[in-house]
Amino acid sequence: MTNSIDFSYRPRLQELRRLGGDEGADSAIAEFNLESAFGLERAGAPKVSPPERFAGMTGYRADFIEGFEVAPPAPKGQRASDVLPIDHAQDGRLDYLHFSVVMSKSRRMAMFVGVNIDGAAAKSIERGRDKWFLDGRIPLDAQIGEELYLDNLLDRGHLVRREDPNWGSTQEAEAANDMTFHFTNCSPQMGAFNQRTWLGLEDYVLKNARAWKERISVFTGPVFHADDLDYRGVMIPRAYWKVIAFLSDDLKPSATAYMVSQERELSDLEAAFGAYKTYQRSVRQIEKITGLSFGELTNFDGFSNEEEMTRTEISSLLRAPGDMRV
């Protein structure tokens, strides 16, 4: 398969297909399983995973998609100096099963995460009572724990979502599922944001990966601003981004990018939930906003190529998951 991948292909916007069919067609919004914000542990001494729990974990693999090398994003400039150093780890990576996390020193939360998803080998792991852990490989004061989430409307938002790394043998899938419940993989999200828009996008990606039996690689992270809301000593991100890499049905390397804002709701953590808007953006815009470089992935993104050719910035409002263009 490697020799038949066309790496010279540079998609343009008009070549991307709308996953839900023609614009005029009915776009049925899929029913998504919402992750409940209830039943979470609310108190008690912090639980810490000992370093030996992660022995042998290789984490995110750049060579996961056969013939299509997808390197993790590289922090640049100020972002590079903000990476939390990890003993005996390359590029500040905390490796878990099928995913990795790079932490921000200044924010005490993930700068970005990367996960490999194997749709053909996916296992459905029932969600039990959530038990979140601190990661014993880094100082406890370098990560945000349960104290941020008590008695408010904030959700413990999975960055690598719980289902994404759950593939392989049943034992592997169960272990990967458990490893997503680390505060290093957690970012503060307003409840409606976590349970509606973001989950809807992630569900659609995951369900399509399972249907197509594809391997995909996904990067996710918060957008950091100097004037983010300071709540309980934590700067709360106003927006989150996601970049997805995969091979299309005709073996063309492809990348797509998305961003969701929760700025309106963060004006008051007691505010009523409002409507969220999700946009498909270019990988180039995500690079500009985050200070991360995605390397050659910009070449395989139709939005990025269109912007380079037209010298404009393009964003597309997603009213339903079928509006996504790949």
Side-chain angles (χ1 to χ4, degrees), residues 67 70 94 134-135 171 182 184-185 187 192 197 210 272 305 307:
V70 182
L94 286 168
L134 298 169
D135 191 320
Q171 184 178 11
H182 281 87
T184 48
N185 182 44
S187 193
T197 307
R210 284 174 172 163
N305 291 329
E307 288 180 345

Side-chain angles (χ1 to χ4, degrees), residues 54-219:
F54 309 101
M57 298 295 102
T58 56
Y60 175 86
R61 285 175 44 201
D63 62 351
F64 181 70
I65 303 173
E66 185 180 351
F68 183 17
E69 188 88 3
V70 182
K76 300 295 183 183
Q78 182 181 354
R79 286 287 171 260
S81 62
D82 190 37
V83 172
L84 179 71
I86 308 298
D87 290 341
H88 312 296
Q90 183 181 8
D91 301 326
R93 283 175 42 152
L94 286 168
D95 288 331
Y96 301 87
L97 188 55
H98 303 153
F99 70 96
S100 297
V101 174
V102 172
M103 295 287 290
S104 160
K105 286 188 296 186
S106 63
R107 294 299 189 103
R108 297 188 296 135
M109 67 180 72
M111 183 182 295
F112 67 88
V113 301
V115 60
N116 302 127
I117 304 176
D118 189 339
K123 295 288 192 302
S124 179
I125 305 299
E126 184 177 352
R127 184 168 188 165
R129 186 165 180 257
D130 294 356
K131 294 182 179 179
W132 287 87
F133 291 81
L134 298 169
D135 191 320
R137 293 175 292 181
I138 61 175
L140 300 190
D141 60 4
Q143 47 197 312
I144 300 164
E146 187 67 22
E147 65 278 3
L148 177 64
Y149 302 95
L150 293 174
D151 302 320
N152 55 37
L153 297 177
L154 285 174
D155 270 3
R156 302 155 190 78
H158 279 80
L159 290 174
V160 170
R161 84 171 277 193
R162 184 183 69 85
E163 293 93 336
D164 286 356
N166 298 352
W167 52 268
S169 68
T170 300
Q171 184 178 11
E172 280 184 293
E174 289 176 346
N177 176 82
D178 291 344
M179 286 191 178
T180 65
F181 286 94
H182 281 87
F183 282 107
T184 48
N185 182 44
C186 181
S187 193
Q189 298 174 3
M190 291 296 285
F193 174 95
N194 183 34
Q195 297 175 45
R196 296 179 192 168
T197 307
W198 207 231
L199 282 176
L201 173 60
E202 293 176 329
D203 266 334
Y204 200 72
V205 172
L206 185 59
K207 286 179 179 179
N208 276 283
R210 284 174 172 163
W212 300 332
K213 298 190 183 302
E214 286 184 347
R215 288 187 166 199
I216 63 176
S217 292
V218 180
F219 306 110

Side-chain angles (χ1 to χ4, degrees), residues 18-30 204 319-324:
R18 184 174 175 276
L19 290 180
D22 295 336
E23 291 283 0
D26 292 335
S27 296
I29 300 178
Y204 200 72
R319 299 175 299 272
D323 291 335
M324 294 164 60

Side-chain angles (χ1 to χ4, degrees), residues 220-233:
T220 307
V223 178
F224 294 146
H225 292 101
D227 60 348
D228 282 337
L229 173 68
D230 187 337
Y231 179 73
R232 295 183 178 177

